[in-house]
Amino acid sequence: MRFKATIQNIHTFTKFTASLASLGPVAWVRLDEHEVRFTIIPEQGTQVWAVLSIDTIFEHYTIQSAAANVINLEVPLIPLNRALKSALRATSASIRLTKKANLPFLVLTITTNTFNRNALSSTTGGFGGGGAHAQSGSTHDTRDDSYDFHGASPSHDFGGSGRERETVVTQDIPIRVLGQASVEGIHEPRCREPDVHILLPPLMQLKSISDRFTKLALGSRDGGTGGTGGGRSAVASGLGPRLEIAANMHGCLKLNIRTDAMNISSVWTGLSNPELDAGQVEGGEEGIAAHPSTRMKELGDVQGKSEEGWAVCRIDGRDWGKVMSVGRLGGRVIACFCHEHALILYVYLSNNEEGGDESVLTVSDSPAVD
Amino acid sequence: MVSLKFTLSPEASVKIHDALLCLTKFSESVSIEARQDKLSLTALNSSKSAYASVSLEASRFFSSYSCVPSQGSTEGRFTCRLYNKALLSVFKGRVADARGRESAIDRCEVSVQERPDEAECRLVVKMVHNQGVTKTYKLTYESVEVMHALFDKNMAQNRWKIHSGCLKEYIEYFGPKTEQLDIYSEDGRVTFMSFTEKISDGKNILKHPLQTAVSASTADFEEFSAQEKLHIVISVKDFKAIVTHADNLRAEISACYSQPTRPLQFSYGGEGMHCEFTLMTAGDYRGTPAPAPSHAVASRSISRAQSTASARTDNHPAPVEMPPPSEAGSRVSTHRNKVPGSTRPPASSNLQRLQSDPEPLFVPLEEEDRRWDPAVFRDEEETLGWDASADNDNAPHHIFRDTAPAARSATDDNTEGLAPTQRVSQIRGLW
């Protein structure tokens, strides 16, 4: 069993793992000759099914195994993310599967070149640069990363004339290798055809509003006025408050929270409902004609005033907050609503290369049980 | 009795704060030892495997400093121990102040209120603000002897020196839960590897912390001269605390060590502040024949604790001295009981052995110059007066025998009162 690759897009990979890490501690990773698949199926809450084309993140990709060159791994996401973060300023990074003392590891080898600071004087007062970040060429693209864990990007001055120095970091991520049998059952979450599909507004916007709603609902619950409906059952089950998310086929998205004390909603209008691709829908043109979303188009209006035409899903507010963390990837997000059943988000990563495969991250939220 | 009084500039207050913050990583209490020429803040961790000391030069660090011994004595010294959090909270607000210039302090005055005619003994810290506000903090302290670690630099032939900024960069790569740090060099590269020893199986394997190795060229070091493939293992937590503090000072860190299971010392400083950290190490030689057995990490602190001594110097005023902490006392007596046969060699051979053997670590010596001061041993000779064994050469390595401070009442310790008239073996029969 061999797996070895150079990571060519550390940023995407890091943000990707960070998004996944907020949804579950462990992912099942399936590597084959064409794609990398990450699956998270927690006992409850959000399932993730993510498929990345090899060249989205890797380069010089080598894979070999007895099982038709497929390797299945169980990978802890937080250590993986942590390891990748240390590569954010790297000149190069590679990953490989290895065994140490009979235990399997994914080993990340990171090379970082920085200017030598040794030219600086050792005295405490010897910093004149005032924290100017002179960057070596290799790190120019790392600064826009608002998720940079270093927070404190080096506050040292690089003013001194020095040669470049090379630091090599290896991060050993403990993993488990899964047998073919144990992963057979894993498949993409299946669900009936959605009633409404809509392109979501910028996730940061959506996240801040939904987080606020969730917080308000939590606050009013703590007020202890007692209650009925969603709020109450949430208390009983120890879950977060229920957000109600609805969309119609006329570009409207509605976010709603209802407690005893309040009923707040936010409505977006003018969003787009992408056309279905006849090639992708079962039954072609006819399939589209019979598709639930086609019927939903006849109901509702562009202002979102009508009571009709909404496909509604209720989701756990805190869970939703975690899902929204995929926003850091900056992809296009299409939400598919199966009325009162499930909400599936498709996240399409924009690849720089023209014609490159789109990588899809599917996040599906199981329906709220009320 | 010593009268101690000093004044700090706002910048020095910030440095005190940073130093205290670093010391909290080692122990929850901080010991202060004031002498005429310097003041030192020290911390010894509970397993006595790490000792941290920050010494401040009287003339350079302080705006004004006076540590005046009372009549007669020339060797005035004030020692005490405080709860670090209490002291830290006094200086805490000052950090923001001095940098933000909002309600900046003008100076910080510290004095010790310790006179027989006063009911309360307190460390008084006065923060004098620019706007005419003065905040006064009175802190209680414990009057104790301060323990210092002994480190023999001559024995430590592995040395390196590097700018703290580099090490700061390295520690950022380390996983958050790792416990130990292995430092070694090989083929011109130095590797810092953070790891956790426990290996778990099955499902838990995924919870195993990230193991991180950072390797850099020896050329990145200011100087590097250490034996190849010599693995020296210390605690990641200690290392992080030291590097973080050194990085605040923008200092260069020097490390020197002899071999695994022997202490390692980090030191750095500047502008009147000198920091020294003596850490116990584990590890082994890999690849080369191992002359030194690799000790289990767990046992290292224990073996070290036995060589801890709590001797006192005769110049300390006995009447005001509080009884030593019970922990020290119990250690003294257990030690005695355990190895009654091995008794103190004469002072001269004692001294000689000390020079040739870096084993004794944590000994209350006052400063480097006085490290070999025979007066200390003479003092011990007086308080401990038997010599039952003829073969000094075979005596164990704990040559700094624990000596109870004379201030302790004799009733506390029966052994103390025994006259040196019998062989220990004879006494043993009684028990």
Side-chain angles (χ1 to χ4, degrees), chain A residues 41-55:
Chain A
I41 305 183
E43 285 184 14
Q44 61 172 49
T46 310
Q47 299 185 10
V48 181
W49 176 269
V51 180
L52 300 172
S53 60
I54 299 294
D55 45 359

Side-chain angles (χ1 to χ4, degrees), chain B residues 161-222:
Chain B
K161 190 173 180 184
I162 189 170
H163 196 273
S164 56
C166 294
L167 294 182
K168 183 73 203 300
E169 203 178 282
Y170 303 161
I171 61 170
E172 281 168 0
Y173 294 120
F174 296 157
K177 283 175 197 149
T178 45
E179 290 164 4
Q180 280 152 299
L181 179 71
D182 182 359
I183 304 171
Y184 62 94
S185 73
E186 200 169 348
D187 301 330
R189 293 193 75 81
V190 185
T191 302
F192 294 84
M193 185 172 78
S194 81
F195 67 103
T196 307
E197 210 157 55
K198 64 166 188 283
I199 297 286
S200 38
D201 293 320
K203 193 75 186 167
N204 288 330
I205 189 78
L206 297 182
K207 291 187 177 143
H208 200 262
L210 212 55
Q211 181 167 315
T212 309
V214 182
S215 95
S217 165
T218 48
D220 296 338
F221 287 70
E222 295 288 296

Side-chain angles (χ1 to χ4, degrees), chain A residues 74 76 79 82 86 103 117-118 122 124 150 156 163 165-176, chain B residues 165-166 169 172-174 189 203 205-206 208 210-215 219-220 222 247 249-252 271:
Chain A
E74 194 173 19
R82 172 92 201 176
S86 59
L103 292 169
R117 287 184 211 142
N118 291 0
S122 61
T124 51
H150 283 107
H156 310 283
R163 51 175 198 88
R165 65 189 166 85
E166 187 187 79
T167 309
V168 179
V169 180
T170 58
Q171 300 273 24
D172 297 355
I173 304 145
I175 52 159
R176 282 209 307 170
Chain B
C166 294
E169 203 178 282
E172 281 168 0
Y173 294 120
F174 296 157
R189 293 193 75 81
K203 193 75 186 167
I205 189 78
L206 297 182
H208 200 262
L210 212 55
Q211 181 167 315
T212 309
V214 182
S215 95
D220 296 338
E222 295 288 296
D247 184 54
L249 295 174
R250 303 274 191 278
E252 276 175 358
E271 299 195 331

Side-chain angles (χ1 to χ4, degrees), chain B residues 189-404:
Chain B
R189 293 193 75 81
V190 185
T191 302
F192 294 84
M193 185 172 78
S194 81
F195 67 103
T196 307
E197 210 157 55
K198 64 166 188 283
I199 297 286
S200 38
D201 293 320
K203 193 75 186 167
N204 288 330
I205 189 78
L206 297 182
K207 291 187 177 143
H208 200 262
L210 212 55
Q211 181 167 315
T212 309
V214 182
S215 95
S217 165
T218 48
D220 296 338
F221 287 70
E222 295 288 296
E223 56 180 75
F224 192 92
S225 116
Q227 194 183 332
E228 287 242 319
K229 294 177 184 170
L230 174 66
H231 288 255
I232 196 128
V233 178
I234 55 174
S235 140
V236 173
K237 197 172 137 267
D238 294 346
F239 187 69
K240 280 186 172 174
I242 293 163
V243 170
T244 308
H245 183 232
D247 184 54
N248 273 346
L249 295 174
R250 303 274 191 278
E252 276 175 358
I253 297 186
S254 300
C256 47
Y257 51 95
S258 51
Q259 53 175 290
T261 70
R262 292 289 164 88
L264 169 149
Q265 188 173 72
F266 286 114
S267 57
Y268 54 86
E271 299 195 331
M273 179 184 254
H274 185 69
C275 309
E276 276 184 352
F277 299 86
T278 306
L279 311 174
M280 252 337 275
T281 65
D284 59 344
Y285 297 92
R286 292 177 209 170
T288 50
S294 104
H295 282 210
V297 181
S299 68
R300 65 184 174 142
S301 56
I302 298 162
S303 66
R304 225 36 33 179
Q306 285 178 345
S307 60
T308 309
S310 69
R312 61 180 296 277
T313 44
D314 48 357
N315 52 43
H316 197 83
V320 290
E321 193 185 16
M322 286 168 61
S326 56
E327 134 195 32
S330 64
R331 196 173 53 246
V332 166
S333 40
T334 40
H335 201 157
R336 284 247 169 81
N337 294 340
K338 263 184 191 161
V339 271
S342 63
T343 40
R344 178 167 312 281
S348 58
S349 81
N350 212 353
L351 185 63
Q352 196 184 7
R353 187 188 300 271
L354 178 69
Q355 279 162 337
S356 64
D357 188 355
E359 181 86 16
L361 267 187
F362 297 113
V363 204
L365 281 182
E366 299 145 17
E367 61 181 17
E368 274 185 23
D369 306 17
R370 286 197 192 83
R371 190 173 285 170
W372 314 114
D373 193 338
V376 177
F377 304 108
R378 246 182 272 124
D379 179 41
E380 284 180 341
E381 280 284 287
E382 285 162 20
T383 53
L384 188 101
W386 64 37
D387 183 356
S389 72
D391 49 348
N392 290 327
D393 292 337
N394 294 333
H397 286 308
H398 322 294
I399 48 135
F400 275 104
R401 303 309 315 284
D402 297 333
T403 310

Side-chain angles (χ1 to χ4, degrees), chain B residues 3-281:
Chain B
S3 117
L4 173 68
K5 206 170 186 176
F6 57 87
T7 309
L8 297 162
S9 67
E11 291 75 26
S13 306
V14 171
K15 282 188 184 170
I16 295 258
H17 172 266
D18 290 348
L20 290 172
L21 202 61
C22 176
L23 295 180
T24 48
K25 302 288 194 302
F26 292 89
S27 169
E28 61 177 22
S29 59
V30 58
S31 301
I32 298 179
E33 181 175 306
R35 313 180 62 82
Q36 272 173 291
D37 55 341
K38 66 172 187 180
L39 181 106
S40 60
L41 305 168
T42 58
L44 182 66
N45 73 359
S46 57
S47 59
K48 297 190 170 57
S49 60
Y51 162 86
S53 131
V54 176
S55 72
L56 310 166
E57 272 177 55
S59 53
R60 291 180 68 194
F61 188 81
F62 301 91
S63 313
S64 73
Y65 182 92
S66 98
C67 179
V68 183
S70 54
Q71 323 91 347
S73 72
T74 49
E75 267 301 317
R77 212 158 65 96
F78 170 78
T79 59
C80 72
R81 183 162 65 189
L82 288 102
Y83 189 48
N84 198 341
K85 270 189 188 157
L87 193 56
L88 195 59
S89 65
V90 171
F91 286 93
K92 194 166 264 171
R94 265 59 293 146
V95 175
D97 287 354
R99 287 169 191 163
R101 297 282 165 216
E102 273 292 298
S103 55
I105 56 160
D106 180 50
R107 63 186 189 276
C108 166
E109 297 174 353
V110 183
S111 58
V112 173
Q113 177 180 308
E114 186 197 41
R115 286 212 311 269
D117 57 329
E118 274 167 333
E120 292 176 322
C121 293
R122 294 287 184 269
L123 185 75
V124 183
V125 183
K126 269 188 195 169
M127 292 290 176
V128 183
H129 288 255
N130 284 333
Q131 285 93 349
V133 179
T134 301
K135 291 180 186 160
T136 306
Y137 302 84
K138 294 190 175 183
L139 306 171
T140 49
Y141 61 84
E142 191 181 359
S143 178
V144 292
E145 259 311 321
V146 176
M147 307 243 275
H148 294 293
L150 177 65
F151 183 78
D152 186 358
K153 280 203 165 128
N154 299 323
M155 287 300 289
Q157 268 139 19
N158 299 294
R159 287 155 190 267
W160 46 262
K161 190 173 180 184
I162 189 170
H163 196 273
S164 56
C166 294
L167 294 182
K168 183 73 203 300
E169 203 178 282
Y170 303 161
I171 61 170
E172 281 168 0
Y173 294 120
F174 296 157
K177 283 175 197 149
T178 45
E179 290 164 4
Q180 280 152 299
L181 179 71
D182 182 359
I183 304 171
Y184 62 94
S185 73
E186 200 169 348
D187 301 330
R189 293 193 75 81
V190 185
T191 302
F192 294 84
M193 185 172 78
S194 81
F195 67 103
T196 307
E197 210 157 55
K198 64 166 188 283
I199 297 286
S200 38
D201 293 320
K203 193 75 186 167
N204 288 330
I205 189 78
L206 297 182
K207 291 187 177 143
H208 200 262
L210 212 55
Q211 181 167 315
T212 309
V214 182
S215 95
S217 165
T218 48
D220 296 338
F221 287 70
E222 295 288 296
E223 56 180 75
F224 192 92
S225 116
Q227 194 183 332
E228 287 242 319
K229 294 177 184 170
L230 174 66
H231 288 255
I232 196 128
V233 178
I234 55 174
S235 140
V236 173
K237 197 172 137 267
D238 294 346
F239 187 69
K240 280 186 172 174
I242 293 163
V243 170
T244 308
H245 183 232
D247 184 54
N248 273 346
L249 295 174
R250 303 274 191 278
E252 276 175 358
I253 297 186
S254 300
C256 47
Y257 51 95
S258 51
Q259 53 175 290
T261 70
R262 292 289 164 88
L264 169 149
Q265 188 173 72
F266 286 114
S267 57
Y268 54 86
E271 299 195 331
M273 179 184 254
H274 185 69
C275 309
E276 276 184 352
F277 299 86
T278 306
L279 311 174
M280 252 337 275
T281 65

